[in-house]
Every structure is written in structure tokens, then in C-alpha cells.
Amino acid sequence: PAAVLDDHTRWRRPLVVAAGRLRLLGWVSLGLIVAATGAMVTLAANAALAANAQVIAVLRLVGATDGYIASAFVRRFTVRTLTGAAIGAALAVVALLLLPGAQEAGGFLTGLRFEGWGWLVPLLLPPLSALVAYLATEAAARRVLEDLA
């Protein structure tokens, strides 16, 4: 007669809300990382273009178009970003593999590995980083080349 049915909604609801906010925080963090990558590549491209202003002037004298000059910088920064992101993704996968699995007893950092198709996520990061670098360098190169004209 004194039994009480506890369906755990009272303590479960705040946990579900907190998990949703953590997911949102993850997406916001990912957006900030993409923005920071774009800003760093833009600054590096601006510095490289400014440092090579005399070379760019000579290239223009011999008939090089702004598209040709920009493509050289875009290619360089895109490949460097792709390489760096690939190395970083490989190191991240190694770090995840070294973490203890969920089935092992105790521990705070257990069960943080990818599962199933989730292991393909690190493979997406280098091409996405290269795309961000491509777009940022293209925009920076066009803008700087117009200023140097």
C-alpha cells in the first residue's frame, strides 16, 4: 500500500535538457573552429601576398593574369591545410584508439570512441578544412590582387 511509482521524469528531464545544450555547444564550437581556420588562412594568405608584392608586379609585367597568380596561392594554402588536417585527424584517431573502451571497468574517459559509421567522421575533416582554406584564400587573393593593381 505504501508503494510509489517513480518513472524518473523528475530527474531525467533536466538531464535531457543538459544533453541537448551540450550538443548545441558542440555545434557552436565546431562553427568557431571553422571560423578560426578561415581567419588564420586569410591572414596567412594576406601576409604571403603582401610579402610577394614585387614578384606579383613582375608576373603581371610578363603577362600573368590575376586568376593565374591567385590560383598559385590558393593551391599552396589548400594543400598545406589539407596536409595539416590529415595529420591532425590521424593523430586524433590514434588518441581515440588509446582511450579505454566502455566495457572496461570504471574510469572517467570511457566509451568516448566512435561507433560504427562514426569512424568515418575524421575522414571528412581534412576535405572540409581544405574547402574552408580554398574559399578563404580565394577571397583574400582576389581582394589583395585588386588592391595591388
Side-chain angles (χ1 to χ4, degrees):
V4 176
L5 176 63
D6 184 8
D7 61 355
H8 307 294
T9 56
R10 190 175 68 212
W11 63 268
R12 186 176 174 270
R13 187 173 295 124
L15 290 176
V16 170
V17 169
R21 292 209 175 125
L22 279 174
R23 182 176 290 124
L24 176 64
L25 180 64
W27 284 109
V28 168
S29 298
L30 187 61
L32 288 173
I33 290 168
V34 168
T37 300
M40 283 189 303
V41 169
T42 301
L43 288 173
N46 284 337
L49 287 160
N52 291 305
Q54 292 176 342
V55 174
I56 291 170
V58 171
L59 286 171
R60 284 180 170 161
L61 285 175
V62 296
T65 63
D66 283 352
Y68 175 79
I69 297 168
S71 68
F73 284 95
V74 169
R75 183 176 41 256
R76 178 178 169 198
F77 281 96
T78 302
V79 169
R80 285 185 177 183
T81 303
L82 179 65
T83 304
I87 292 169
L91 291 174
V93 167
V94 169
L96 285 172
L97 288 172
L98 293 176
L99 288 174
Q103 68 274 13
E104 296 176 21
F108 175 68
L109 295 174
T110 60
L112 294 179
R113 295 180 182 176
F114 290 114
E115 293 181 15
W117 291 98
W119 283 103
L120 295 178
V121 170
L123 296 177
L124 297 175
L125 296 178
L128 290 176
S129 298
L131 177 65
V132 169
Y134 174 81
L135 295 173
T137 307
E138 182 75 26
R142 298 286 178 195
R143 187 175 58 251
V144 170
L145 289 172
E146 284 177 9
D147 290 345
L148 292 176

